[in-house]
Amino acid sequence: MNSGFFFGGGFQTVFFLMFGLVVCMILFTLIKGIAQWNQNNHSPRLTVGAIVVAKRTQVTHHHNHGNGAMHTGHSTSYYATFQVESGDRMELHVSGTEYGMLAEGDTGRLTFQGTRYLGFERRQVNGL
């Protein structure tokens, strides 16, 4: 086995390249999130007629190893797709509570700001 790679400059070079790549990915994600937040803040708040056309969830599993023990967990993200009066569709991230209150086919008034979901007021049908 050639131990020169591990004890020479090869391992250090690969380590620092991988470390740099991870740091760049974290910075890219952070900057992208801040840019989206800023864009949403500068977008007008709109309320339009809409219908709920789809709902979906995304479950992410986490595995952590530490102190000789393995810990697992998960988180769930909730999304609803709305079709607005113009015919355009938009998928927005909603809370679990909102997700549970929405049903496909619901019609009403959608309030949003950029890509930020602010609420959905169902249209009452025959006093219900």
Side-chain angles (χ1 to χ4, degrees):
M1 182 165 138
N2 184 358
S3 62
F5 176 78
F6 291 105
F7 296 111
F11 177 75
Q12 287 179 335
T13 302
V14 171
F15 175 79
F16 284 113
L17 284 174
M18 294 303 292
F19 180 77
L21 180 64
V22 170
V23 168
C24 287
M25 289 172 47
I26 291 170
L27 286 173
F28 175 77
T29 303
L30 183 65
I31 291 169
K32 185 177 172 185
I34 291 170
Q36 183 65 58
W37 175 82
N38 188 45
Q39 181 181 357
N40 284 342
N41 285 345
H42 287 90
S43 296
R45 286 179 177 235
L46 299 174
T47 300
V48 296
I51 183 170
V52 179
V53 293
K55 294 171 40 175
R56 75 175 179 92
T57 59
Q58 180 177 350
V59 179
T60 305
H61 298 278
H62 309 280
H63 301 281
N64 297 321
H65 302 277
N67 298 331
M70 185 173 108
H71 304 281
T72 60
H74 71 277
S75 61
T76 305
S77 297
Y78 301 93
Y79 299 90
T81 301
F82 299 91
Q83 182 168 327
V84 296
E85 296 166 330
S86 66
D88 293 328
R89 290 185 177 199
M90 60 179 61
E91 182 179 66
L92 300 173
H93 183 265
V94 298
S95 70
T97 302
E98 288 285 332
Y99 181 87
M101 298 295 291
L102 295 171
E104 290 183 17
D106 280 352
T107 59
R109 307 285 291 166
L110 170 67
T111 303
F112 64 99
Q113 185 177 23
T115 61
R116 186 180 298 145
Y117 172 84
L118 298 176
F120 184 75
E121 184 180 326
R122 254 168 242 84
R123 182 174 357 147
Q124 298 296 326
V125 180
N126 296 330
L128 296 178

